[in-house]
Amino acid sequence: MNALGSTPSDPMLPWRHALWILTAATVLRLALGALVPLFPDEAYYWEWSRRLAGGYFDHPPMIAVLIAGGTALLGDTPLGVRVLPILAGSIAGFWVVRAACHLAGPVAARFAAILFSVLPLSAAGLVLATPDAPLLAALAWTLYAVVRALDTAEEARRETSWWLIAGVAIGLAMASKFTGVFFPIAIVLAMLIHPALRARIAEPGPWLAVAVASLVMVPVLWWNAQHDWIAFRFQLGHGLGAAARGSVFTREGNLIGGQLGLVTPILFVLLIGAVWRALRPPRESVRFVLATIAAFCALFFIYSASRKSVEPNWPAIAWLPAILLLAGAREGARTAWERRGLWLSGALTAVALLHVVAPFLPLPARRDPAARAHGWDRFARSVDSARTALASTTSPDRLWAELGAAEDPRGRSQVHVAANRYQDAALLAFHLPAHPEVFALNLGARSNQYDLWPRFADRAARGATLLLVLEEPAEGAPGPIRRLDGHFQRITPGPLVRILRDTTYLGRRRLWVLAGWSGTWPADSTDPLSAR
């Protein structure tokens, strides 16, 4: 009898080990989610959750729905924002493990659980509240459903049921991130290529899956139809627009480097090897479908990198079926290189997570991704002090009291807070007391969701004061200040406030006071897809 209460001869013991591993990984991610402050993009998605809709400028709505549910349970806290996305990541792991168990048995399931839990892709990436969490959960569910649907041992009625489940899962994936559409495309491609699967395209199951997925996507499609298909246009331009300047080799190198970081070097090679073996004859049908999905997604992003820079997390969907293939390759003991890969990945992930909680790596702040989450709570207190001083008609600070702020009917000055970058605006809204509306002006910056919401010019009364948070240029006035000159009676630079993590300098922003709004605004493009 072992510590888990089962005998070594118990065939399901590895399966229970797998569930305990996934549970422990979930607890660790929840603890990290509570400790680490929000990153800029997470705060941006939190802003979405305060205005739920069928879609948003950058992505479909699933991440906003999860954040709204989490904050309803735990409040506007880092854990409240992250709790449901973290659990979605755990659901992704569960379906990967279930699929591995179906392919090769409980021992393979245990290996899949360890593999999924130690990869930086999931161990670190699924701590954050991003669209990748619901996307990977839905796609992992899709993989399991498709594996079951293609299993020739299934009865016809149950096979159709699995196709229906796959349709729901694919719809949820596309409602999380548009790259979810790559899975059904790749599945159809694999079925067309593989002789044993070609005839099954004519069966009702795959078509029912398409119909169900389309129904799930109706709210997203409806919202986009009402907004000139803006999210589709943005994402197509983001990934496949006009070729960017710079070396293709540099972009492809950055893509490979990012993937080495996501899955670590040894496992990178082993995962690619598992995909390659499944693509070669003799082709076992289910594994061939999984390998085609992985290869199709990877090749798309390789092509995308020839035109635009690809963020490291974008190709993460290609690794899901690759993880399943490597884990489900055999039921018995793992190879020495697989064990080495797990140890290396676990060690690198542990170092990365420890650095996020208690930084010890000698990285400059500008090169440390973890630094972007810190310092904004203290910075927001400085902004709030400035806002309070401006709003008070009896401000003790003579300089700020003489700025001529307009009075609202309640006898207090109408002061609005804004930043130019959407990341700064979202972080300020999250960290300021009572979470007020903070505008992102986007003057000279790329368009984003803030352009579709009411702007300062829509909310403010003539004569209002704008407290504007801007990065400090090397010389001269910031671009937004030059653009706004003439639209306010008086523009005064306020203090330059440093953003600190304890005593470590992370950056700085200057507070500008723009008093006496004239009611006019700089002319800009009527197309929110164009940069301003």
Side-chain angles (χ1 to χ4, degrees):
M1 188 73 67
N2 61 28
L4 294 177
S6 301
T7 62
S9 61
D10 183 354
M12 294 307 295
L13 179 61
W15 169 253
R16 286 193 285 276
H17 287 169
L19 295 182
W20 279 110
I21 291 165
L22 292 178
T23 301
T26 300
V27 171
L28 175 60
R29 288 198 294 270
L30 288 171
L32 289 168
L35 290 173
V36 179
L38 287 194
F39 284 78
D41 282 355
E42 292 182 288
Y44 182 44
Y45 302 138
W46 167 79
E47 280 278 55
W48 295 7
S49 75
R50 301 206 289 172
R51 305 168 177 88
L52 289 177
Y56 299 92
F57 183 97
D58 312 69
H59 291 296
M62 191 57 64
I63 185 60
V65 173
L66 293 184
I67 293 173
T71 53
L73 292 171
L74 301 178
D76 293 310
T77 62
L79 185 57
V81 170
R82 292 172 175 147
V83 60
L84 293 188
I86 288 173
L87 294 179
S90 300
I91 290 171
F94 174 78
W95 289 119
V96 168
V97 168
R98 281 291 303 272
C101 189
H102 187 79
L103 285 175
V107 175
R110 180 170 58 193
F111 180 79
I114 299 170
L115 179 58
F116 188 84
S117 298
V118 301
L119 286 177
L121 162 68
S122 49
L126 292 179
V127 172
L128 306 181
T130 71
D132 291 324
L135 172 71
L136 293 178
L139 290 181
W141 192 23
T142 300
L143 292 178
Y144 179 69
V146 170
V147 166
R148 295 298 301 268
L150 294 177
D151 189 340
T152 55
E154 295 283 359
E155 298 176 2
R157 184 165 57 107
R158 294 188 65 186
E159 175 191 315
T160 301
S161 298
W162 284 116
W163 279 117
L164 291 173
I165 292 171
V168 173
I170 290 169
L172 292 174
M174 293 189 295
S176 302
K177 210 170 180 179
F178 293 129
T179 50
V181 75
F182 294 160
F183 270 41
I185 293 174
I187 291 167
V188 171
L189 180 63
M191 294 177 75
L192 287 172
I193 294 172
H194 199 291
L197 296 174
R198 203 169 295 147
R200 301 189 67 176
I201 295 180
E203 296 175 358
W207 298 101
L208 288 172
V210 172
V212 170
S214 301
L215 287 175
V216 174
M217 279 290 287
V218 164
V220 180
L221 297 172
W222 179 255
W223 183 91
N224 274 276
Q226 292 180 312
H227 292 82
D228 197 25
W229 304 100
I230 193 167
F232 289 93
R233 292 164 56 205
F234 170 72
Q235 289 298 342
L236 285 172
H238 204 31
L240 295 174
R245 295 180 181 179
S247 170
V248 171
F249 297 105
T250 299
R251 290 196 294 271
E252 298 288 359
N254 290 337
L255 171 63
I256 294 172
Q259 301 318 295
L260 288 170
L262 280 182
V263 298
T264 66
I266 296 175
L267 293 176
F268 177 87
V269 174
L270 294 176
L271 289 165
I272 291 177
V275 172
W276 175 248
R277 286 191 297 275
L279 290 173
R280 297 179 62 189
R283 297 165 176 167
E284 194 276 320
S285 58
V286 173
R287 286 178 169 82
F288 180 75
V289 171
L290 296 173
T292 302
I293 296 171
F296 179 85
C297 295
L299 289 172
F300 174 86
F301 288 108
I302 290 172
Y303 171 73
S304 180
S306 71
R307 306 181 63 79
K308 299 274 191 177
S309 294
V310 172
E311 295 293 331
N313 63 299
W314 293 357
I317 59 175
W319 297 115
L320 268 187
I323 292 169
L324 185 50
L325 284 169
L326 181 60
R330 68 184 68 83
E331 166 64 1
R334 312 310 300 193
T335 68
W337 278 109
E338 287 171 343
R339 293 194 296 273
R340 293 182 187 118
L342 292 180
W343 279 109
L344 177 63
S345 183
L348 293 177
T349 297
V351 168
L353 295 179
L354 285 172
H355 177 75
V356 169
V357 176
F360 63 92
L361 296 175
L363 295 174
R366 67 182 182 278
R367 294 185 178 275
D368 185 359
R372 293 179 298 161
H374 293 273
W376 281 87
D377 51 349
R378 188 187 306 182
F379 178 80
R381 288 197 291 270
S382 299
V383 174
D384 186 53
S385 296
R387 179 180 60 160
T388 302
L390 282 170
S392 174
T393 56
T394 58
S395 171
D397 188 329
R398 183 177 300 276
L399 174 63
W400 292 63
E402 291 175 352
L403 290 174
E407 296 292 323
D408 70 13
R410 294 166 296 180
R412 295 180 64 81
S413 301
Q414 188 183 48
V415 178
H416 299 270
V417 180
N420 197 53
R421 301 172 70 247
Y422 73 87
Q423 298 95 331
D424 290 4
L427 285 168
L428 283 171
F430 185 81
H431 288 290
L432 283 170
H435 308 296
E437 183 177 38
V438 177
F439 301 100
L441 304 186
N442 297 331
L443 296 171
R446 84 155 176 90
S447 296
N448 51 68
Q449 181 61 33
Y450 282 96
D451 291 319
L452 303 183
W453 290 329
R455 308 186 198 180
F456 171 81
D458 302 315
R459 295 288 202 206
R462 188 185 299 269
T465 294
L466 180 64
L467 178 60
L468 182 56
V469 176
L470 294 175
E471 292 183 287
E472 186 76 353
E475 58 182 29
I481 294 299
R482 296 195 299 270
R483 294 282 300 275
L484 294 170
D485 188 22
H487 298 279
F488 290 83
Q489 293 178 7
R490 185 172 179 179
I491 298 178
T492 305
L496 190 61
V497 183
R498 297 196 303 167
I499 301 173
L500 301 171
R501 180 180 185 177
D502 297 327
T503 59
T504 303
Y505 172 78
L506 303 177
R508 62 183 186 176
R509 300 289 189 275
R510 186 176 294 280
L511 310 186
W512 291 79
V513 181
L514 292 77
W517 181 47
S518 67
T520 62
W521 200 252
D524 56 17
S525 171
T526 57
D527 183 358
L529 275 175
S530 63
R532 287 197 280 281

